[in-house]
Amino acid sequence: MLDYSCFSWATISGVLELAQVGGVRSVFRSAGHRCEKAFCVWAQRLPLFSLLALLFFPAAAQANDLSGPAGLPALKGHIAILEDESSALSLADILEPERQAAFRPVVGDGINFGYIRHAAWVRLSLPAADNAQGVLSLSPNFLDLIDVYTAMPGMGGRAQDYTRYDAGDRRTPSRNGLSNIEEAVLLEFAVGKTTMAFIRIVSPTSSVHLNISLTPADTYSYESVAKVSVFGVWFGAMGALCIIQFVFFYFDRKAEYPLLAFSTLGIMLIYFGNLGYSHVYLFPTNGAANNIFLGFNAWAGLAASALAYDRILALKRRSTWLHRLYLGIAITGAVGVLRAFLEQGSAFGSFGASLSILVGALNMVVGLRYANSEGAASRLTAAAFTAIFIGILLSMLQRFGVAGVPNWVHNSYGVAGLVQTMLLTGALAVRLRAAEALSRSMTDSLLQEAQKAERIAEGLVEERTRELVAARGVAEDALRAEQQSQRQQVRFMEVVSHQYRTPLAAIRTDIDSIGLSLAGDDAANRTRIERVRRSISWLVGILEVNLERSLLQGASFRPQFAQVALGVVLLAAHQRARDLLNSPDIRLDMPLAVANMRIRADASMLELAVLNLLENAVKYTAIKGGAAVTLALKASAEGGVVISVQDQGIGIPAADLPHVFDSAFRGSNTGRADGTGMGLPLVAKIAAAHGGWVDIDSVEDEGTCVRMALPLQGA
């Protein structure tokens, strides 16, 4: 069972999240808690007022009881309809007795034929109890052709008694002084006489439903202003939410924000057309273009909504088939846009209405399924999809002409759209706030780790300093003095590496911050920043390798044995060598069966030993111009494994081979190549610690192969 008690506050809180993002936060804090509380009260009451007004205003304006408003006759009980399947009947034909007898009475004050391609007639016979003038208003405003015939009180038996008024979005808007938006005509009423009016409707490109209201002429302007004000509040609320969604996108560059904004804009444009504004202000003389406008907005809105909901529900991660289904709905919306441009709205309109109901139901089911997956955000999402499904269902049932569905519910989609947009915006705001909190938490955690690393580095510096002071007193001869000098150099590099980590981390953080502030089209500076990042990573890698080597030179040489997979160790060393040595050509020869063998070893030490061998091979191969280096892992005949590195470099002179494992020894043919002579001795030391051994085969000017044999059980 879902707990919906938090939806009201969670929605407002979600909207208020905008005040907690970035620089806007300081504005709200400076205003104080009183301003925030006042905003909450306003945000809670105004949308509720506007929604109720929008939902019930049409009903209140049209719910004429039997006595009628201000002395006007009642509409209920005096409306009848007739379908003209030939679409060829004229007013004179309609006035014939047999046609009059064919009219069917309507219970309420509106009619709904659903999707029909032929003409329909509406008859009004209004007996008056007083002398009065009334304005007959017809809505909605997207019907193609409307012919209104009115007669003076007591007349109407002949076609000549009627005055014709042309309306519909296929015609130029009326300039009769009553309204530029509504289809409205003036009716005269006299005591004891009946005023007759006939309405002919032809609209094959849309649902044919008509709401009819009768308003006193002297109050019509006030009621029109009230209606426009209510719809203005609706458009204002939707526009504000649309802007908020783009603001969210500014702070968090995720596709769901602009997609939801376009979906919201689609709903606004649909109502902009349905209320007749597009006919008056955009296409006053082109009804076909107005129909294209309506169809385009409906189908484009469906496509944008499908893409937005797919992102909001995270379906690509949660369900592949649902993700593909929503993409299919978006494609269907694109096809609908094309059909709208081809003016095939009537053939595609009923299908689109049915699809809207199915999509709404699917949204609700999926939203409820994941309602508890992300706390308040997912519950708001579930409520949003439930609201829009109810609105779509009521609206589409009314368009299909289902019996018992009142005509005023055609506004339910607009109400539900506003509710849904508010809830989804609130859900996205909650997610944005959660992401911000997570970012702060990660920043604090990284800062703590950096401080911890700094303390460790300081401790290591102190430890190494003490070792250096103690080591000065143990030098006994020149060789040991030289060895001690080498150890001091290594320890110095260790201190340097630790001391440089913190400023390098700070530089990397500043570079990342600069990168986030750059414009999306600033490719040159982004390239420079990327080069700086790679340089920092390369320098950190070198410092880490030197640090690891220093740890293995003195008292820190303490292997930490564990069961490890040899293949994993070699792959790590291979990748590390490529990163540090500018991506040399290092080929792997590692059968899967051997790679999966496990050995009791110190993985970090083995990785460092292999890295040393690869570094030597690449360095001395490059002197000859460069060639491929092979890293191989094979099983040995003694039941262990052999790690080998084969190069095609300068090789080692035969006279130097017996001394290659001596500390600080370098081959006579190395020339000016960088090196300390500590690499191979370190490899031999690591192999011995694991119960293994190292040997080397080399031919000068042809290449070198170094093999490290290890037992499977390790040391």
Side-chain angles (χ1 to χ4, degrees), residues 303 306-307 310 320-333:
L307 295 175
D310 175 65
T320 301
W321 74 268
L322 280 175
H323 170 65
R324 292 175 179 174
L325 179 60
Y326 273 73
L327 291 182
I329 295 171
I331 293 173
T332 302

Side-chain angles (χ1 to χ4, degrees), residues 511 522-534:
I511 286 297
D522 194 351
N525 284 326
R526 288 188 179 276
T527 301
R528 296 187 183 99
I529 286 178
E530 186 58 31
R531 287 201 299 269
V532 173
R533 287 179 179 147
R534 289 198 299 268

Side-chain angles (χ1 to χ4, degrees), residues 513-589:
S513 299
I514 294 172
L516 291 174
S517 66
L518 292 177
D521 57 352
D522 194 351
N525 284 326
R526 288 188 179 276
T527 301
R528 296 187 183 99
I529 286 178
E530 186 58 31
R531 287 201 299 269
V532 173
R533 287 179 179 147
R534 289 198 299 268
S535 298
I536 292 173
S537 298
W538 177 78
L539 181 55
V540 169
I542 290 177
L543 292 175
E544 289 178 348
V545 170
N546 287 330
L547 176 60
E548 291 174 11
R549 286 170 176 160
S550 69
L551 291 174
L552 299 182
Q553 296 297 323
S556 296
F557 187 84
R558 293 186 292 269
Q560 302 294 323
F561 292 105
Q563 291 292 325
V564 298
L566 285 170
V568 175
V569 174
L570 263 64
L571 285 174
H574 175 267
Q575 183 58 47
R576 198 169 181 185
R578 288 181 56 82
D579 292 340
L580 292 175
L581 304 175
N582 295 322
S583 301
D585 185 5
I586 302 176
R587 300 176 182 176
L588 273 173
D589 180 11

